[in-house]
Amino acid sequence: DPNEDTEWNDVLRNFGILPPKEKPKDEIEEMVLRLQKEAEKPYERMNLKELKEAEDDFDEADMKAIEMYRQQRLQEWKCLQRRQKYGELREISGEQYVKEVTNAPEDVWVIIHLYRSSIPMCLLVNQHLDLLARKFPEAKFVKAVVNSCIQNYYDRCLPTIFVYKAGQIKGRFIGVAECGGINLKVEELEWKLAEVGAIKTDLEENPKKDIMDMMTFSMQNISVRKDTNTKCSDVMKPNIT
């Protein structure tokens, strides 16, 4: 018997003549697997089409669970469709503005960047938006050469980012300063878009917070020094009557 516990069989197993002895399955593990299999509902393995075809085979309790399950699968399908639809920074023209931006589905946030390729800051913003479009595929990211949308638009107003929802502008960032400055990082732009509600970020605080705190501290120090210098000057002034 190859499964018998004998010294000879152990020698044969060591030389690979007999296969390794099968370990007895844990009774608790077997019971858990069996209960899991029994608890698994058949509709949990079905797609939406199969659920529709098998409706007559389920009782009332199952039908309620199936309806909840169907809605869950439907939401997952819609999410997948949306991810396939967006997920990239697309180029549009001025003629497509109303269709792609203003008349976008009401439940979709739209971020549009008006730019000129001759402006370095615009190219930086495009790079960041391309990354964010991949990270947040549920939002619609588009860009358009500004001249195709607005004639005679001032360079000092670029980059320009508009954030739309249900045909309304919910946020705007106009010019280098409002967009975050020439050293803008993608996390900083992500925070700005999250603040207006366009995306749900996993950032816990403003990435620029430390810089802003340092600037505030510096301004306070300058103010204190000015105040101190003024007082010192007042003390040193001769008392002329």
Side-chain angles (χ1 to χ4, degrees):
D1 183 0
N3 291 319
E4 189 177 357
D5 283 326
T6 64
E7 188 175 345
W8 176 245
N9 281 351
D10 290 339
V11 172
L12 294 178
R13 289 191 192 99
N14 290 336
F15 282 96
I17 298 173
L18 287 180
K21 186 179 178 183
E22 293 183 3
K23 294 182 180 180
K25 290 186 177 179
D26 190 295
E27 291 183 3
I28 296 178
E29 182 183 353
E30 285 186 344
M31 184 176 67
V32 169
L33 291 173
R34 178 171 53 80
L35 290 174
Q36 286 178 343
K37 189 173 181 180
E38 290 175 357
E40 184 178 321
K41 300 294 184 180
Y43 55 76
E44 293 179 351
R45 301 189 300 270
M46 297 181 178
N47 57 35
L48 294 176
K49 183 180 179 182
E50 290 170 340
L51 284 173
K52 184 69 177 175
E53 293 174 349
E55 281 184 350
D56 296 337
D57 299 332
F58 300 112
D59 58 25
E60 185 176 350
D62 276 341
M63 286 305 297
K64 290 181 180 179
I66 287 171
E67 183 57 31
M68 293 179 62
Y69 184 68
R70 179 187 283 119
Q71 292 301 321
Q72 178 186 342
R73 294 295 300 272
L74 191 60
Q75 290 302 318
E76 291 173 355
W77 179 80
K78 286 182 178 180
C79 182
L80 178 61
Q81 289 295 103
R82 187 170 294 172
R83 283 176 175 272
Q84 292 174 343
K85 187 173 183 180
Y86 304 126
E88 63 177 349
L89 177 63
R90 291 177 47 238
E91 181 91 33
I92 66 169
S93 66
E95 295 176 353
Q96 297 172 297
Y97 196 104
V98 173
K99 177 185 176 183
E100 296 288 343
V101 180
T102 312
N103 291 343
E106 292 190 357
D107 63 335
V108 174
W109 285 89
V110 183
I111 298 95
I112 179 166
H113 175 213
L114 302 181
Y115 75 99
R116 280 198 183 99
S117 57
S118 59
I119 298 178
M121 181 67 184
C122 288
L123 299 180
L124 177 63
V125 170
N126 276 341
Q127 289 177 8
H128 290 344
L129 289 178
D130 185 53
L131 294 174
L132 293 175
R134 299 170 190 273
K135 184 176 180 179
F136 302 98
E138 66 279 2
K140 186 176 184 179
F141 289 79
V142 294
K143 62 181 178 177
V145 176
V146 67
N147 287 347
S148 71
C149 303
I150 307 172
Q151 293 297 320
N152 303 318
Y153 198 68
Y154 294 119
D155 280 2
R156 66 173 178 269
C157 296
L158 296 174
T160 291
I161 300 173
F162 291 131
V163 181
Y164 279 79
K165 178 76 181 294
Q168 302 295 319
I169 294 179
K170 301 297 183 179
R172 67 187 77 199
F173 307 98
I174 299 174
V176 173
E178 287 190 15
C179 285
I182 58 174
N183 296 316
L184 176 69
K185 296 180 179 178
V186 65
E187 294 84 6
E188 295 165 3
L189 184 53
E190 178 178 334
W191 185 266
K192 284 179 175 292
L193 296 177
E195 281 189 313
V196 299
I199 56 177
K200 293 183 179 180
T201 180
D202 53 3
L203 297 174
E204 296 182 356
E205 63 178 16
N206 188 346
K208 235 177 180 178
K209 181 178 181 297
D210 292 340
I211 297 175
M212 294 171 66
D213 288 346
M214 288 177 62
M215 290 175 64
T216 302
F217 180 73
S218 298
M219 292 300 293
Q220 289 174 344
N221 282 346
I222 292 172
S223 178
V224 169
R225 284 200 298 272
K226 283 184 177 179
D227 187 49
T228 303
N229 290 339
T230 301
K231 289 180 180 178
C232 290
S233 298
D234 290 342
V235 170
M236 296 174 65
K237 284 180 182 178
N239 186 14
I240 300 175
T241 57

